[in-house]
Amino acid sequence: MNNTSIFSKIIKENDLSKIIYKDKYVTSFHDIKQIAPIHILIVSNKLIKSINEINKSNKYILGHMIYVATILAKQFKIDKSGYRLIINCNKDGGQEIFHLHLHLLGGKKLGKMLS
Ligand code: 5GP
């Protein structure tokens, strides 16, 4: 596997018309293939290929990603109606892009996944 990704390219380009949120640790932008009215990706600035690469020294990023998701949920006014956060991992989890990211989904009633 190489050491870059399409998300690294987006982060590096820093096109402010596309970027919703950025700080030292994460960058957020709309998913290109929206599966809900609000479908935002919160991506680690550093290339971490999957959640399997989380370890003692980088685990802070997960809490930070979720924190940013709550900020964006408020900004996009889906905090009251509700939303879902998803991290896909590897083949069975349906991961397509090997660069750690959290999906923030909302703006409609989402189908049950666990039942
Ligand atoms: P995964 O399945 O890896 O959890 O999710 C990857 C997501 O990235 C998919 O929902 C896909 O639509 C989105 N995506 C793939 N390529 C691009 C791109 O070039 N730009 C944006 N904004 N999203 C992308």
Side-chain angles (χ1 to χ4, degrees):
M1 265 197 241
N2 64 26
N3 285 315
T4 188
S5 76
I6 183 68
F7 291 168
S8 302
K9 191 166 165 268
I10 294 170
I11 292 165
K12 199 161 165 226
E13 272 171 7
N14 200 31
D15 178 348
L16 298 180
S17 67
K18 289 185 188 156
I19 287 167
I20 299 169
Y21 176 95
K22 188 175 191 112
D23 65 24
K24 200 173 155 193
Y25 305 108
V26 296
T27 301
S28 284
F29 42 86
H30 294 284
D31 195 294
I32 206 169
K33 208 172 98 198
Q34 304 266 303
I35 61 162
I38 305 295
H39 186 176
I40 292 169
L41 301 173
I42 297 142
V43 183
S44 59
N45 288 342
K46 263 202 195 161
L47 179 59
I48 298 170
K49 285 179 183 161
S50 84
I51 197 169
N52 281 337
E53 287 194 357
I54 289 297
N55 56 42
K56 259 190 181 172
S57 60
N58 66 10
K59 65 181 180 178
Y60 70 87
I61 190 80
L62 295 175
H64 189 67
M65 287 165 92
I66 293 172
Y67 171 64
V68 170
T70 67
I71 292 174
L72 294 175
K74 289 186 186 90
Q75 186 181 324
F76 283 82
K77 302 192 187 323
I78 56 170
D79 55 319
K80 299 277 181 342
S81 51
Y83 52 91
R84 184 173 293 159
L85 302 177
I86 298 175
I87 294 177
N88 294 320
C89 181
N90 281 349
K91 192 160 142 266
D92 284 359
Q95 184 176 4
E96 281 174 33
I97 305 290
F98 288 82
H99 186 146
L100 184 65
H101 56 282
L102 179 65
H103 295 254
L104 167 61
L105 296 160
K108 72 169 187 182
K109 187 153 177 53
L110 300 163
K112 277 256 182 236
M113 284 177 72
L114 305 172
S115 59

